[in-house]
């Protein structure tokens, strides 16, 4: 299955860019990339999935080839849920599946609760559909403050994008993405940079700072209530060497929280919930896509 086309969806602040794969007549699947990644995140996985489906891999706003959001405001999780809804509306999709990696899976989880009637299946690649951390409550005002102050700092500096040689750009990228690997790093930078006379500049919006400044953290009561709204079937694919992308929280706290989320999803969704652990790190869907392609294909093709 090869790439069919590039796509641009018009929005009030510019456009949302996307890549299209598979059969235009097939059941639609919207692919959501991780924090600071882009639609190229799925280039090595989608060719291994059933070609009878219609896959659209979008760039979130401020990422890849999508327009940056209006100046003056920080990015918020609901901005991205809004983008998913706009893409689905533009494509005239009444019901579709979501395939999300990391941050993209969390946005997919939020969307599945807010628009439950639209989502058929939700596939989470080394991701959590929610962040449930009671111990993080004390940090939330700090995160929200940092998000606003970072925007003000970026505006005050008003510097042009930093220009690096291709090798400097790659090494800088790998330093901040230790699990992605050189080959996959190059693939993400193909869509995540623009070539200028002196070298490469990053495409992404400089207002995008630490992910913890942009995640919504739910209480147990909130989580349990909105989970009951989900109509989709859910597949969670966990990498055995994956890492926590919500970095301030300690590993034991993450495991405790994730175990609670998975157990509640299992008990609430029953036969609509499936869990699989695979060998690989956080970017297993890029580095060893064959480790996840089979279970994803089976899940997409399965009937209730």
């Amino acid at each position: 299955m090869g790439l069919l086309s590039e796509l641009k969806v018009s929005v009030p602040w510019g456009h949302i860019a996307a890549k299209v794969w598979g059969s235009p007549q097939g059941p639609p699947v919207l692919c959501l990339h991780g924090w600071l990644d882009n639609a190229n995140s799925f280039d090595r996985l989608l060719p291994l999935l059933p070609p009878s489906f219609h896959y659209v891999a979008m760039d979130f706003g401020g990422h890849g080839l999508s327009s940056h959001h209006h100046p003056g405001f920080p990015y918020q999780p609901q901005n991205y849920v809004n983008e998913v809804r706009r893409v689905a509306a533009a494509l005239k999709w009444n019901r579709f599946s979501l395939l999300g990696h990391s941050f993209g899976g969390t946005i997919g989880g939020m969307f599945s609760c807010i628009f439950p009637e639209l989502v058929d299946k939700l596939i989470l690649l080394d991701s959590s559909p929610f962040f449930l951390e009671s111990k993080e409550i004390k940090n939330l005002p700090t995160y929200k403050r940092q998000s606003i102050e970072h925007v003000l700092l970026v505006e005050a500096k008003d510097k042009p994008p930093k220009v690096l040689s291709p090798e400097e750009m790659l090494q800088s990228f790998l330093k901040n993405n230790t699990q992605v690997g050189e080959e996959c790093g190059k693939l993400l930078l193909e869509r995540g940079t623009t070539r200028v006379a002196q070298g490469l500049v990053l495409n992404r919006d400089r207002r995008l700072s630490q992910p913890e400044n942009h995640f919504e953290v739910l209480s147990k009561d909130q989580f349990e209530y909105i989970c009951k709204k989900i109509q989709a079937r859910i597949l969670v694919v966990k990498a055995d060497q994956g890492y926590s992308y919500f970095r301030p929280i300690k590993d034991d706290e993450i495991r405790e929280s994730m175990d609670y989320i998975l157990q509640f999803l299992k008990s609430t969704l029953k036969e609509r919930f499936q869990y699989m652990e695979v060998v690989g790190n956080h970017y297993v869907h890029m580095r060893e896509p064959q480790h996840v392609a089979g279970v994803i294909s089976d899940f997409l093709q399965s009937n209730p």
Side-chain angles (χ1 to χ4, degrees), residues 247-301:
R247 284 161 286 184
I249 306 174
K250 296 178 181 178
D251 288 346
D252 57 343
E253 295 174 359
I254 295 167
R255 283 193 294 270
E256 180 183 338
S257 171
M258 191 62 184
D259 286 347
Y260 178 83
I261 289 172
L262 294 177
Q263 288 302 318
F264 189 85
L265 287 172
K266 183 178 180 180
S267 63
T268 302
L269 302 179
K270 297 181 171 44
E271 69 279 357
R272 289 190 287 130
F273 177 77
Q274 185 176 338
Y275 176 85
M276 175 69 71
E277 188 165 319
V278 298
V279 175
N281 69 19
H282 190 58
Y283 284 90
V284 64
H285 71 296
M286 293 189 73
R287 301 189 66 170
E288 294 112 2
Q290 69 277 8
H291 290 183
V292 299
V295 66
I296 294 172
S297 297
D298 290 344
F299 185 73
L300 284 173
Q301 293 175 315

Side-chain angles (χ1 to χ4, degrees), residues 1-7 9 18-31 46 49-58 87-88 90-93 95-99 300-301:
M1 178 177 64
L3 177 67
L4 288 180
S5 63
E6 289 276 351
L7 174 71
V9 174
K19 304 175 76 168
V20 182
W21 306 72
S23 169
Q25 291 75 40
V29 180
L30 186 62
C31 305
L46 293 184
L49 300 186
S52 56
F53 286 78
H54 183 55
Y55 306 93
V56 174
M58 62 179 278
V87 170
L91 298 175
K92 296 181 170 58
W93 289 353
R95 193 165 175 84
F96 56 97
S97 295
L98 290 168
L99 171 61
L300 284 173
Q301 293 175 315

Side-chain angles (χ1 to χ4, degrees), residues 140 143-144 146 209-215 245-248:
L140 292 185
Y143 295 155
K144 293 183 181 299
Q146 287 174 350
S209 56
Q210 299 299 327
E212 58 267 20
N213 295 341
H214 301 264
F215 289 148
Y245 33 88
F246 199 43
R247 284 161 286 184

